[in-house]
Amino acid sequence: MAMVSEAKVNGSEMEQSTELPPALAEKPAGLPPGKYALVGWDMDTTGRRLIDEICQIAAYTPKQTYSQYIMPYGDLNPGARRRHNVRVVTVGRYRMLKDTNTHKILKTKSEISALSDFLDWLEKEKGDGSVILIYHEPRRLSPTMLLEALTRYKLLDRFKSIVAGFADSYALAADKCRATVKSVSLRVLARVLLDADSLAVDSALDRATAAYKIVEHLAQGEQQEVGAGGEGGSGAAHAHVVETARLWARPVATELEELASLKKLLERQNTFRPVFAPLLRSARPERKRVTQLRRLLADAGLLYDQLKATWQDHKLEGLEKQLSELNVSAKEEDIKELIEILDCHFDPAKEPKGPKPRAPRNKNRATSSAGETGETGEAEGSTSDSQHSSPHNSPSKTNNDVSAEDSSQKLPAQGAVAAN
């Protein structure tokens, strides 16, 4: 399948890469035939880490909608504040969630209360069948984070009795529209398919609605192409939409396997904390590069102690020999840079690699671009956010996002995740 080049996903910038996003890496196996109810779904989170919290969860059907804001324990990181246009403010002794566009305080619930209400709502929508949740995302982060939150509150069994799987409209659109559009972001598809010139993607409810309508439009368009349009009326058309979503859905069990694999990957990545922790204090471009290099080591199944033992036994030659096995999944320059970083770390005679000094910026540029760069939690909203006490605004921790599989938190067991 051809790579879909995309500059923005859900309103946020995405690095163009030759690597296929997970949504396009393989076609979903689908769900077995049965009776299914389709629900558009999305959620906003305080960050892109596995331990981050949900701050809004929303769902859409043509007859009903569900939307609930959630008061997180931690603050939203700068990137999340820009994406969702909400922030945590402190008014007197109370922390509240505020819409940065309307400047209104949002009505919120606790995460467990909102998830329980969401399951109640889904149970009514499923009828005597099961639910397929439709969302739009290239990295498939939202299902993983939702399942982690449900596990945290012991709601997973109930969720599995209601929901059969997740259907990603991103993958469906990439397959059906690859000959006509270069980008399958929500903004582009809403303009091309839904005739919506301007779609607000900062709200989870807007994205859930758009994801549902995209699947509906693509399925009905396909039905008309094969001459089935108008035969059987709207009932046949809706049945075809359900069938399309079923064929492109991933079962909940598959997503749980992905979650387990992700946790193992994060555990391996965390063993390299002594090497990469100083480098993660660099500017954003350097941080992204570091997380890519660390991911290569974790994907190869390597651990910090293994590389340390190799260097102690065979020095630089041992590292070169062991990392040369990464040639299949890594470029030559990646391997050379990894060898340099590790050799400088293990060799006491060499100075360890450290963060590159940032170029000084004039005051006017720092003020005007603080909301764009988002390198620290102080630049944006330092007067109202509780940035001094929250780890979510720490520059060394805002890069721990699931999309890059970056983790500066240890996840030895489920309890560690739940504790956060």
Side-chain angles (χ1 to χ4, degrees):
M1 184 180 295
M3 170 59 187
V4 178
S5 174
E6 184 167 46
K8 287 191 176 183
V9 176
N10 289 351
S12 61
E13 294 183 1
M14 172 182 171
E15 180 185 25
Q16 292 191 2
S17 171
T18 57
E19 180 186 0
L20 284 173
L24 305 183
E26 62 182 49
K27 185 175 179 178
L31 294 171
K35 189 173 182 179
Y36 297 103
L38 302 186
V39 174
W41 159 80
D42 212 319
M43 64 184 194
D44 297 334
T45 57
T46 58
R48 310 292 272 182
R49 299 176 295 177
L50 191 60
I51 61 172
D52 279 315
E53 304 165 82
I54 303 170
C55 57
Q56 185 191 11
I57 188 165
Y60 167 88
T61 68
K63 296 181 179 180
Q64 297 287 337
T65 61
Y66 175 88
S67 179
Q68 178 61 58
Y69 284 96
I70 297 170
M71 187 65 231
Y73 286 103
D75 294 341
L76 284 75
N77 69 30
R81 292 204 298 265
R82 292 194 304 272
R83 283 192 300 270
H84 312 319
N85 290 325
V86 295
R87 69 192 305 167
V88 174
V89 297
T90 302
V91 180
R93 298 166 54 187
Y94 301 98
R95 298 171 72 252
M96 302 178 183
L97 206 60
K98 180 180 180 180
D99 188 314
T100 56
N101 285 336
T102 64
H103 305 290
K104 292 183 178 180
I105 299 299
L106 301 171
K107 185 177 180 180
T108 61
K109 290 186 176 182
S110 65
E111 193 172 41
I112 185 173
S113 178
L115 288 173
S116 297
D117 289 349
F118 178 57
L119 294 182
D120 291 340
W121 186 86
L122 286 178
E123 203 157 29
K124 295 177 182 177
E125 293 298 320
K126 82 181 186 73
D128 56 352
S130 298
V131 170
I132 298 177
L133 293 178
I134 300 173
Y135 69 106
H136 190 95
E137 191 177 324
R139 298 284 173 188
R140 296 205 312 254
L141 308 180
S142 295
T144 301
M145 299 185 73
L146 175 63
L147 292 174
E148 179 62 25
L150 292 166
T151 303
R152 187 183 309 150
Y153 298 113
K154 301 185 181 350
L155 296 172
L156 183 60
D157 290 339
R158 186 183 175 196
F159 178 81
K160 289 192 293 184
S161 69
I162 301 171
V163 177
F166 298 86
D168 192 351
S169 59
Y170 184 96
L172 174 63
D175 181 72
K176 305 296 183 185
C177 304
R178 55 184 171 181
T180 56
V181 295
K182 294 183 178 180
S183 170
V184 290
S185 69
L186 273 180
R187 291 184 188 276
V188 172
L189 293 177
R191 184 172 65 250
V192 174
L193 302 180
L194 308 180
D195 295 327
D197 292 334
S198 60
L199 174 68
V201 296
D202 53 325
S203 169
L205 182 57
D206 292 335
R207 297 195 303 274
T209 303
Y212 184 98
K213 291 183 177 180
I214 286 170
V215 172
E216 185 178 48
H217 180 93
L218 293 174
Q220 292 177 351
E222 184 180 60
Q223 186 186 33
Q224 291 173 3
E225 288 176 5
V226 298
E231 298 179 8
S234 59
H238 179 72
H240 190 73
V241 175
V242 174
E243 182 67 9
T244 300
R246 180 186 73 82
L247 294 175
W248 283 86
R250 288 166 58 89
V252 173
T254 302
E255 295 293 351
L256 287 172
E257 292 173 0
E258 292 287 340
L259 175 59
S261 298
L262 175 60
K263 288 183 178 181
K264 292 179 181 177
L265 175 71
L266 295 179
E267 289 176 6
R268 290 197 298 271
Q269 281 192 165
N270 284 327
T271 66
F272 292 101
R273 187 183 179 91
V275 179
F276 294 102
L279 301 177
L280 291 173
R281 302 189 187 101
S282 306
R284 186 181 179 185
E286 286 76 20
R287 287 206 311 268
K288 294 182 71 173
R289 174 63 175 164
V290 168
T291 57
Q292 291 170 355
L293 295 174
R294 186 174 64 173
R295 174 67 185 269
L296 290 174
L297 296 176
D299 281 341
L302 297 173
L303 300 173
Y304 175 80
D305 290 340
Q306 293 175 343
L307 295 178
K308 183 177 181 180
T310 298
W311 189 90
Q312 291 174 342
D313 294 340
H314 305 288
K315 303 301 179 183
L316 183 59
E317 293 77 9
L319 284 178
E320 291 175 345
K321 182 178 180 180
Q322 188 162 16
L323 294 184
S324 65
E325 299 174 359
L326 299 178
N327 276 330
V328 177
S329 59
K331 299 178 181 178
E332 185 177 351
E333 56 265 28
D334 295 338
I335 297 176
K336 288 182 179 179
E337 189 168 356
L338 276 172
I339 291 173
E340 181 184 3
I341 291 173
L342 292 168
D343 185 49
C344 291
H345 172 77
F346 292 127
D347 192 343
K350 297 180 180 179
E351 183 178 353
K353 286 274 189 176
K356 296 180 181 180
R358 301 182 187 180
R361 300 185 300 179
N362 59 53
K363 184 176 180 181
N364 291 335
R365 171 173 166 76
T367 303
S368 62
S369 63
E372 297 176 2
T373 58
E375 294 299 339
T376 69
E378 305 294 331
E380 187 183 19
S382 59
T383 57
S384 60
D385 287 6
S386 51
Q387 74 277 8
H388 299 292
S389 60
S390 172
H392 291 261
N393 284 335
S394 171
S396 64
K397 292 189 178 182
T398 55
N399 55 357
N400 179 24
D401 64 335
V402 186
S403 61
E405 307 305 340
D406 179 17
S407 176
S408 59
Q409 302 287 340
K410 294 185 179 180
L411 295 170
Q414 180 60 39
V417 179
N420 290 279

